[in-house]
Amino acid sequence: MARAERSIFRLVWVYAFIITAICIGLAGVFYLTHWFSDLWTGYIINGIIFIGVMLTVVHANNALGGGASLFQLGLSGLITAVLSTIMIASVTLLFHLVTVPTDPAVLNTTTEEARINEYSIQTRQGFWIFMVTNVLFANITLGVLGAVIGAIAVKRNQQTENAG
C-alpha cells in the first residue's frame, strides 16, 4: 500500500471520527434538552455530515497532491459517510436505550399526556421510523451527495487527473 493511500485511509477515519464526535455532542445536547424528536435537530446533524464529507474529499485531494481521480475522491467521501453513519446510528440507539425509563408509572401515559411525553408508546414505536429514515437513510444520502459534489467541485476539469 502506497504512502498516499495510507494517508487517505487514515484521513477518512479521522474525518469520520470528527464528524461523529460533533454529531454525538449535538445529539447529547438535544437528548438532554428533549429536542431530539424535533426535525430541525436532525437537519443540523445531516448538514454536518454533508459538510464534513465535502471537507474530507477536498482534504483527500490535497493529500494526494491534487492528482486524485474522481473515483478516489468519491470513494473517500463515501467511506467517510458510511463510517460516520454507522457510528452515529450506534450511539443514537444507545442514547435511546439509555433514556427510555423502566418505571411503569412513566411509561403508561394517558392519551392526553402521550402527545407531550417523549416516553409515550407512540414516541417509542416511532423511534425505529426515525432511526431508519433520518439517521440511516438521510445521513447516507447526504453523505453520498456531499462526496459527489465535493469530488466534482475539486475535479472541475475531468479530462485530466489534475485538479483545476
Side-chain angles (χ1 to χ4, degrees):
M1 189 181 269
R3 178 174 155 75
E5 290 173 357
R6 281 188 303 225
S7 169
I8 296 298
F9 186 69
R10 195 175 10 210
L11 178 76
V12 164
W13 276 98
V14 167
Y15 267 95
F17 278 116
I18 290 171
I19 292 168
T20 302
I22 293 169
C23 291
I24 289 171
L26 286 173
V29 169
F30 297 151
Y31 263 100
L32 291 174
T33 58
H34 301 291
W35 285 346
F36 201 75
S37 61
D38 293 347
L39 286 177
W40 65 270
T41 61
Y43 297 152
I44 290 173
I45 291 173
N46 297 150
I48 289 170
I49 289 176
F50 178 75
I51 292 168
V53 168
M54 285 180 54
L55 290 174
T56 302
V57 170
V58 170
H59 197 166
N61 189 53
N62 290 341
L64 290 175
S69 68
L70 269 173
F71 177 75
Q72 287 174 318
L73 294 175
L75 188 61
S76 68
L78 181 64
I79 292 170
T80 303
V82 169
L83 289 174
S84 297
T85 301
I86 289 170
M87 289 187 273
I88 291 168
S90 300
V91 172
T92 301
L93 184 60
L94 183 67
F95 278 166
H96 175 71
L97 294 174
V98 168
T99 59
V100 172
T102 57
D103 182 15
V106 175
L107 292 175
N108 296 326
T109 59
T110 64
T111 310
E112 190 174 293
E113 295 170 329
R115 187 174 58 78
I116 59 173
N117 186 337
E118 69 271 11
Y119 304 124
S120 67
I121 187 82
Q122 291 87 354
T123 304
R124 286 182 284 139
Q125 289 174 345
F127 171 78
W128 295 108
I129 295 170
F130 164 77
M131 180 76 165
V132 170
T133 58
N134 193 29
V135 176
L136 297 176
F137 178 75
N139 288 348
I140 291 291
T141 302
L142 284 170
V144 169
L145 188 62
V148 169
I149 290 173
I152 290 173
V154 168
K155 303 295 287 181
R156 289 180 292 276
N157 180 5
Q158 296 179 24
Q159 300 299 321
T160 67
E161 287 289 316
N162 298 325

